[in-house]
């Protein structure tokens, strides 16, 4: 079966290459299909997947990035590949969602400030920040949210939490 997967994936790659060569629009699903096939064969072909991504045989797409995130437990480099892909696509809101899902609130808010992302729920960020176990991380995240909202020129839900947070820190 491993040989047939290699053969089939090579055929899919050649198909994609010929479509690109003749300037025929590609379906994003074909790239997702190839990624899925390489990740779920036995044994997984992560090294080939990495090469295909690196040499752009597999196009950068949000759906492909999320596929890569699903296999991080089996292939740790997939996280960085996925984040690089999202960054290349300027899919900052999706990157922020990933950071928040992993509890990296400070990284999420720093990204929001750096790229002036405004289509993310402030309340979701504040809620995630308040869930932080580490008080210093919580305080830093909430300060960054305040900075982000002040830069956007609007009132913030953070002001309701400042007295509570200061009591917790003391």
């Amino acid at each position: 079966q491993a040989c047939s997967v290699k053969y089939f994936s090579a055929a899919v790659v050649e198909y994609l290459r010929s479509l690109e060569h003749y300037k025929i629009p590609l379906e994003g699903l074909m790239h997702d299909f190839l990624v899925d096939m390489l990740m779920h064969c036995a044994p997984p072909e992560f090294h080939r997947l990495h090469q295909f991504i690196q040499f752009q045989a597999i196009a950068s797409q949000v759906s492909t990035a999320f596929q890569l995130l699903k296999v991080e437990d089996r292939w740790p480099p997939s996280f960085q590949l996925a984040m690089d892909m999202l960054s290349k696509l300027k899919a900052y809101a999706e990157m922020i969602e990933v950071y928040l899902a992993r509890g990296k609130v400070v990284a999420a808010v720093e990204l929001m400030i750096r790229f002036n992302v405004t289509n993310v729920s402030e309340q979701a960020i504040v809620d995630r920040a308040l869930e932080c176990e580490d008080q210093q991380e919580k305080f830093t995240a909430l300060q960054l949210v305040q900075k982000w909202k002040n830069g956007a020129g609007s009132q913030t839900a953070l002001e309701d939490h400042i007295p509570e947070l200061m009591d917790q820190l003391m």
Side-chain angles (χ1 to χ4, degrees):
Q1 182 184 357
C3 184
S4 64
V5 169
K6 285 182 182 182
Y7 177 80
F8 193 63
S9 65
V12 171
V13 167
E14 286 303 317
Y15 174 69
L16 293 173
R17 195 174 311 174
S18 67
L19 289 175
E20 284 185 32
H21 176 75
Y22 291 106
K23 311 265 189 270
I24 298 171
L26 291 173
E27 290 282 329
L29 294 175
M30 287 302 296
H31 289 267
D32 290 344
F33 173 68
L34 180 60
V35 170
D36 194 52
M37 184 174 38
L38 292 170
M39 289 189 312
H40 293 97
C41 64
E45 297 274 335
F46 293 131
H47 64 285
R48 290 185 70 211
L49 176 60
H50 185 259
Q51 287 176 336
F52 288 151
I53 292 170
Q54 183 178 8
F55 295 109
Q56 299 175 355
I58 294 176
S60 294
Q61 303 178 125
V62 172
S63 60
T64 304
F66 281 112
Q67 275 185 296
L68 291 169
L69 289 170
K70 289 179 186 175
V71 295
E72 182 189 6
D73 58 328
R74 295 186 298 148
W75 188 46
S78 67
F79 175 77
Q80 191 59 52
L81 278 172
M83 296 307 279
D84 290 346
M85 195 175 282
L86 291 172
S87 178
K88 179 180 173 184
L89 296 168
K90 297 184 175 154
Y92 303 124
E94 288 82 356
M95 291 176 72
I96 291 165
E97 286 177 30
V98 170
Y99 283 134
L100 289 176
R102 294 165 190 275
K104 297 181 179 183
V105 183
V106 172
V109 180
E110 286 174 340
L111 194 65
M112 291 167 61
I113 292 169
R114 183 174 179 196
F115 295 105
N116 196 25
V117 178
T118 57
N119 60 343
V120 176
S121 166
E122 174 196 351
Q123 191 60 50
I125 301 286
V126 170
D127 290 345
R128 280 303 258 171
L130 291 172
E131 291 172 7
C132 290
E133 300 277 329
D134 181 1
Q135 295 300 316
Q136 186 173 1
E137 184 177 350
K138 182 187 298 187
F139 184 72
T140 302
L142 292 173
Q143 276 188 321
L144 287 170
V145 169
Q146 184 71 42
K147 179 181 175 184
W148 172 67
K149 289 309 284 183
N150 286 342
S154 62
Q155 262 325 72
T156 173
L158 179 58
E159 293 166 356
D160 300 336
H161 299 288
I162 290 176
E164 166 195 336
L165 180 63
M166 293 308 268
D167 289 342
Q168 289 177 1
L169 290 172
M170 299 301 163

